[in-house]
Structures are given as C-alpha cells and as structure tokens.
C-alpha cells in the first residue's frame, strides 16, 4: 500500500471485528469509522454490541453515538458522512506526519452492515420510483400479517432476493416488494450500477471462524448481554417500539416477551437462533465480494495486510 488507504474489516457478528479494528488502528495510529447501522444510535447500547467506553477511549471512532433514534439514518447518509470522515482523517495525517507510523494516510473501517460498506466502497444504485398506493398496500400487509406475511410474499415474488436478503428486516422486505410490484422486476436487477471511483485505495479483510466456534461466541455474547441488562434496555425503549432501528435481532424478541407473547427463556433462545441466522446472511453477502481477503479471526491483521 503506497497511497491513501482505507482498510475495511468485515465479517459476521461476534467474530471479533471490534477488537481487531482497534488493534490495527492503534498500530497504524489512525482512527476508526464504524460501518454498523445500529451502533450510531445513542439510545441503543447493549443489544447492538457497541464498543465499550474503554475501547472508544483507546481509538477515536466515527459513527458511534452520532445520531438519535429519532433521526433517519440510511446507507446514502452513511456514504456521505464516511467519505467526509475519511477525507478528514487523511488531511489530519498529511498535516501531522509525525503522528503516523506510515508514510501514507490510512483509515480503518469496521462493521457488518454490508449495504453501508457497499455504499462507501462503490456508491449506491439508483432505485425506481414507487407507486404510493403500492407502498400503502405493503404497509397494510405488514400491519395485518406481520413479518411472516412479508416473508411469504417476498419468497413467492422475488425468490432470488429472498435467498440472500435480510429476511428478518421488515424494511428490507417491504422495499423488495415495493420494487417488484411497482416495476415487475427484482430489486436485484437495479443493483448493477458501475462502481464509482474513490480517490483512495480500499483493502477489505474478512474475519472468519469455524461455524461451531462462531455459534459458541454468539451464544456467549447473548448471555452476557442479558447479564448486562439488555431486558431493561429494551423496556426503556418501549416508546420507540415501532422504529425501524428496533425491528432487529435482540430487540424484537424481547419486545415480544414484554408484550406477553413469549417467555423470557424462549425470547433468549430466539435471539440466539436469529443471531446465528443473521451471521449466516452476513457471510452470504460478504462472500459474494471477490475483493475481500479472508483470514482466520485469530491471525494478526498486519500479517494479512502486508504479506
């Protein structure tokens, strides 16, 4: 690497991305941009596995606690902000070369939100306009039949997207249905715009573990979250129950418990199961990217980057 470079660390949830990114950023004497669509919210903490105060103190992070859950945050906004932060990091290093251990500016990005990383790396695809009547129809379908109703419709109408999409995310499911019903085409057919050029190099490193070890880490993490007070965190977010940021693993299951639909033990087992499924979908997304260099999560990143 002999030019300004962003090193992006990706992988499934619980694989160890945060610790790896902090270690790498410290060795490069740079800052971290989080690419996580939930850790940006100040109101969410335990359930999104946000870095600890000690970790945030060790290395400055962007896009952690940067927004309120009341604000709209999406991939387009992340792309805009992350490009600004990257430029800021590069300019700071260029103006103070003595603070960096490398002769060229570097930044570290880390996260498991594939769409955000795609937006930063390549830009976003142009989506077609949606008929408001169709949007209302799909919203009513969700209100009447819930997540299962959305899943069944997408499975029938857009099986290609359903095979690899975020099928536990109502917003993604509704978006896929909107495009299909408005255009007669799969949303995948609109995700073909040529990659936008960036004025810096991008290196992507994927962390992986054997499935059994990853599942063990997922189960241990969920147990720790419950011990740390995840149920009380969810209870305190009841006012935001319908916010799309809370239609996600770790929150949906505990809202079901608090509303009397499941026992606490069942909710915890559902969190573990759904987190395993989410990790599988993350891997499906990232393994389609041939630019990612996969390494064992226990391997030093410096070895992978500079060998």
């Amino acid at each position: 690497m002999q030019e300004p470079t962003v090193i992006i660390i990706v992988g499934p949830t619980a694989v160890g991305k945060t610790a790896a990114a902090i270690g790498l950023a410290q060795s490069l004497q740079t800052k971290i941009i989080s690419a996580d669509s939930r850790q940006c919210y100040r109101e969410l903490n335990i359930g999104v596995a946000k870095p600890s105060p000690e970790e945030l103190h060790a290395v400055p992070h962007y896009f952690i606690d940067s927004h309120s859950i009341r604000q709209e945050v999406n991939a387009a906004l992340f792309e805009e902000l992350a490009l600004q932060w990257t430029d800021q990091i590069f300019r700071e290093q260029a103006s103070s070369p003595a603070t960096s251990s490398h002769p060229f500016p570097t930044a570290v990005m880390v996260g498991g939100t594939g769409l955000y990383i795609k937006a930063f790396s390549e830009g976003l695809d142009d989506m077609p306009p949606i008929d408001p009547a169709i949007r209302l129809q799909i919203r009513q379908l969700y209100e009447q039949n819930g997540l299962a109703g959305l899943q069944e419709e997408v499975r029938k109408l857009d099986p290609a997207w359903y095979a690899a999409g975020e099928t536990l995310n109502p917003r993604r499911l509704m978006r896929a249905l909107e495009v299909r019903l408005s255009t007669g085409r799969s949303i995948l057919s609109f995700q073909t715009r040529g990659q936008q050029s960036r004025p810096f190099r991008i290196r992507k490193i994927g962390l992986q573990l054997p499935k059994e070890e990853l599942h063990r880490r997922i189960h241990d993490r969920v147990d720790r979250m419950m011990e740390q007070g995840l149920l009380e965190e969810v209870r305190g977010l009841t006012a935001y129950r319908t916010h799309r940021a809370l239609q996600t693993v770790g929150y949906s299951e505990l809202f079901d418990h608090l509303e009397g639909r499941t026992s606490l033990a069942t909710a915890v087992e559902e969190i573990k199961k759904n987190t395993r499924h989410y990790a599988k979908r993350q891997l499906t997304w990232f393994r389609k990217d041939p630019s990612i260099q996969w390494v064992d999560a226990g391997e030093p990143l410096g070895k992978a980057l500079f060998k």
Side-chain angles (χ1 to χ4, degrees):
M1 297 184 293
Q2 296 299 323
E3 57 187 300
T5 300
V6 179
I7 302 166
I8 305 179
I9 301 173
V10 303
T13 187
V15 78
K17 297 186 297 295
T18 296
I22 289 174
L24 180 63
Q26 287 177 321
S27 68
L28 296 174
Q29 296 176 267
T30 188
K31 298 178 180 179
I32 292 174
I33 300 171
S34 168
D36 187 293
S37 63
R38 298 294 183 264
Q39 292 182 355
C40 63
Y41 294 117
R42 291 188 287 272
E43 294 86 352
L44 309 187
N45 290 287
I46 299 171
V48 297
K50 192 174 289 181
S52 68
E54 293 77 18
E55 289 171 324
L56 295 175
H57 179 73
V59 176
H61 284 64
Y62 294 94
F63 210 55
I64 297 287
D65 290 337
S66 56
H67 293 75
S68 167
I69 200 170
R70 304 177 189 86
Q71 297 174 278
E72 176 68 20
V73 178
N74 53 40
L77 176 63
F78 176 77
E79 176 188 9
E80 177 185 353
L81 293 175
L83 289 172
Q84 293 175 7
W85 292 327
T86 300
D87 181 65
Q88 179 179 332
I89 292 170
F90 287 167
R91 285 189 286 105
E92 289 175 354
Q93 292 182 351
S95 63
S96 302
T99 65
S100 175
S101 60
H102 289 269
F104 46 87
T106 59
V108 172
M109 179 176 288
V110 61
T113 304
L115 183 60
Y116 280 27
I117 291 167
K118 179 182 185 296
F120 174 79
S121 304
E122 307 172 13
L124 289 171
D125 303 294
D126 293 321
M127 287 288 113
I130 302 300
D131 184 337
I134 289 177
R135 179 163 287 157
L136 177 60
Q137 173 190 344
I138 294 170
R139 168 56 64 176
Q140 290 173 339
L141 170 68
Y142 179 42
E143 292 174 352
Q144 294 169 7
N145 300 322
L147 181 65
L150 291 177
Q151 291 171 331
E152 178 60 18
E153 285 299 302
V154 177
R155 187 188 64 78
K156 291 189 299 184
L157 296 176
D158 194 347
W161 183 90
Y162 187 84
E166 295 182 52
T167 57
L168 290 178
N169 187 322
R171 184 169 177 268
R172 299 277 183 250
L173 289 162
M174 288 191 282
R175 186 60 171 158
L177 276 179
E178 288 174 355
V179 172
R180 181 69 181 187
L181 294 176
S182 293
T183 69
R185 294 164 54 188
S186 169
I187 192 171
L188 296 176
S189 69
F190 293 93
Q191 298 175 343
T192 58
R193 190 175 69 171
Q195 179 174 337
Q196 296 187 28
S197 63
R198 300 301 191 199
F200 46 81
R201 186 182 182 190
I202 293 176
R203 288 287 307 275
K204 296 177 184 174
I205 301 294
L207 302 185
Q208 59 186 354
L209 284 170
K211 183 171 70 173
E212 295 77 12
E213 172 64 14
L214 181 62
H215 286 181
R216 184 190 65 78
R217 289 194 184 192
I218 287 171
H219 296 173
D220 289 347
R221 172 184 277 185
V222 173
D223 289 338
R224 287 197 305 273
M225 287 178 171
M226 295 304 298
E227 293 169 359
Q228 291 165 359
L230 178 57
L231 181 60
E232 290 309 307
E233 175 171 302
V234 174
R235 196 191 307 274
L237 293 167
T238 302
Y240 306 108
R241 171 70 174 91
T242 60
H243 194 288
R244 69 179 183 86
L246 293 173
Q247 311 305 308
T248 190
V249 178
Y251 293 90
S252 297
E253 299 87 351
L254 288 177
F255 277 127
D256 284 344
H257 164 66
L258 291 173
E259 292 166 6
R261 286 191 286 274
T262 63
S263 68
L264 181 58
T266 297
V268 171
E269 288 306 309
E270 285 294 301
I271 294 173
K272 292 178 179 179
K273 181 189 74 174
N274 291 335
T275 304
R276 294 195 305 269
H277 292 170
Y278 175 56
K280 182 178 180 180
R281 291 195 303 275
Q282 288 177 301
L283 282 169
T284 298
W285 174 291
F286 289 127
R287 290 199 185 282
K288 292 179 179 179
D289 185 346
S291 69
I292 295 176
Q293 178 185 353
W294 290 94
V295 302
D296 184 273
E299 180 179 347
L301 289 188
K303 177 181 177 181
L305 284 167
F306 302 109
K307 66 180 179 182

